[in-house]
Amino acid sequence: MKTLLLVVCVALTLTGCKKKAEPEPVVEIAATADEHDHAWYYFTNANLVQIQLPQISQLQSLKPWTENLRVSAANTDVDGNGFLLVNRLGVLLFEGTAEPVLVHDIRLFGSSTAENLVFDRGIPYFTLYRNAFFNKAIAESASSDENRPYLVRVSRINRMLYPALTYGDLDVSGAYEIVGTVFDGDNWISAIKKTDDERTNFAYRQWKPLLALESVQPVTRAGKITIAPSSEEQFYAARVPQDFSSAPARLHGLLRSIPADFPFLLTCYTAGGTSPRFFVHGEDGAAATAIIADGWICAVFSDGTTYFNGALKNRPVLNGGANLAFRLPKLPKEYRYTHFCVSGDFLVVGWEESNFYKTGRSGILVVDMAKLFYGTAR
């Protein structure tokens, strides 16, 4: 069976909306990888396992998204290496090949929620916290440990994870938890939460390392960072979605064929960059994620509709420099695509079974774009 069906559409189906602009060629990728142009994987508690289809993967009980296995963030660094942060498992590293490397440390991931993949001086970091609302027992058991890791560095060379900052470094102790952090390339702002039987209190702190983060020791001590009070307004200024009209020109160019009345909420990363920006087009729309790199730009919608412009690493520009639209294999009902990265010839996209705030089965799809669009593999 042919894996690809090249269709020049009068209507681009994106959750049922009709096109109003000139349509682009759309490549349909069949669900089963008969010609080895893509591969499915699902997450277990200790690894990832290749499968034929997501719906036949091992059953995973539905849990709040903070407590279950799932791709919680992803990006590509400036050298073209892909990083996927997998909650409760580790970091998947793609170095231009189809085979991922799992960087794992059960001491870090076993009982904490992993989020906020960012890059500082080209080095990837992520944060850890425990959700007191969904898992009170875990939150209370370690609330007094001031040396509990908060900011963790990923070493691609050593294939290891190195805690950089602790909760004590940020002067967070007792029942308080850091529930969010934004990084603009210079300053970090963290939201700190305490919940008791009567109310929830928030505080906001701006902090900045005094030394390069890759050189600091993973124990609480003075002289690692400076801390100053911040505000809710400063924290949310970087998280509140802006109107899509203010999005970068390259993003507008990539999505120009989407109808003006089609709503979506888009999370936009810069390759090797800081915290993402958020853009909204209309209200109550589809979810999408985009990455802007020097040589390419890509956006993936939750239903699998994907847009790409540019060139894969060490490859000619695709589609003569025009936008390329394609659809990832259709997922079962209640499943969705999430965060992604591009590394070498490969697009790597997270998928998950979703039910409101809970997730069940999850994994990744690895697509060989060179085989799909150049008709060849390395």
Side-chain angles (χ1 to χ4, degrees), residues 118-153:
V118 298
F119 292 80
D120 181 30
R121 304 185 188 189
I123 299 173
Y125 295 85
F126 63 90
T127 61
L128 298 170
Y129 75 100
R130 296 185 174 105
N131 189 288
F133 183 81
F134 290 131
N135 201 327
K136 291 183 172 23
I138 288 178
E140 292 168 359
S141 66
S143 61
S144 61
D145 182 7
E146 70 168 9
N147 286 317
R148 179 157 59 95
Y150 176 61
L151 188 70
V152 180
R153 173 167 61 94

Side-chain angles (χ1 to χ4, degrees), residues 40-41 43 70-74 84-86 92 300-302 328 331 335-341 347-353 361-366:
W40 296 100
Y41 295 84
F43 299 132
R70 59 186 293 271
V71 176
S72 59
L84 288 90
L85 181 61
V86 185
L92 288 177
V300 178
F301 283 76
S302 58
L328 302 178
L331 290 170
Y335 285 63
R336 64 179 180 178
Y337 290 105
T338 59
H339 305 276
F340 75 93
C341 68
L347 169 68
V348 186
V349 190
W351 61 264
E352 64 185 40
E353 180 185 12
R361 298 168 173 173
S362 63
I364 59 172
L365 171 69
V366 181

Side-chain angles (χ1 to χ4, degrees), residues 267-290:
T267 302
C268 181
Y269 292 87
T270 299
T274 57
S275 295
R277 294 168 291 173
F278 303 92
F279 300 102
V280 62
H281 186 266
E283 297 182 359
D284 299 324
T289 303

Side-chain angles (χ1 to χ4, degrees), residues 68-87:
N68 219 348
L69 293 160
R70 59 186 293 271
V71 176
S72 59
N75 202 347
T76 302
D77 70 11
V78 294
D79 296 320
N81 302 295
F83 296 81
L84 288 90
L85 181 61
V86 185
N87 188 45

Side-chain angles (χ1 to χ4, degrees), residues 293-349:
D294 287 344
W296 52 267
I297 180 172
C298 184
V300 178
F301 283 76
S302 58
D303 71 345
T305 304
T306 302
Y307 297 88
F308 185 91
N309 184 281
L312 302 176
K313 189 173 183 179
N314 300 323
R315 295 280 193 180
V317 173
L318 279 169
N319 203 28
N323 291 339
L324 184 69
F326 57 100
R327 297 189 187 94
L328 302 178
K330 185 176 181 180
L331 290 170
K333 187 179 180 181
E334 306 299 335
Y335 285 63
R336 64 179 180 178
Y337 290 105
T338 59
H339 305 276
F340 75 93
C341 68
V342 174
S343 182
D345 291 340
F346 302 96
L347 169 68
V348 186
V349 190

Side-chain angles (χ1 to χ4, degrees), residues 151-173:
L151 188 70
V152 180
R153 173 167 61 94
V154 183
S155 173
R156 185 178 69 84
I157 303 302
N158 297 334
R159 306 287 201 267
M160 294 185 68
L161 305 172
Y162 296 96
L165 296 180
T166 69
Y167 275 75
D169 288 327
L170 273 73
D171 195 24
V172 177
S173 59

Side-chain angles (χ1 to χ4, degrees), residues 4-24:
L4 297 182
L5 297 173
L6 186 61
V7 183
V8 180
C9 298
V10 176
L12 171 61
T13 303
L14 191 83
T15 61
C17 286
K18 294 183 179 179
K19 281 188 66 67
K20 294 182 180 178
E22 183 181 350
E24 297 160 344

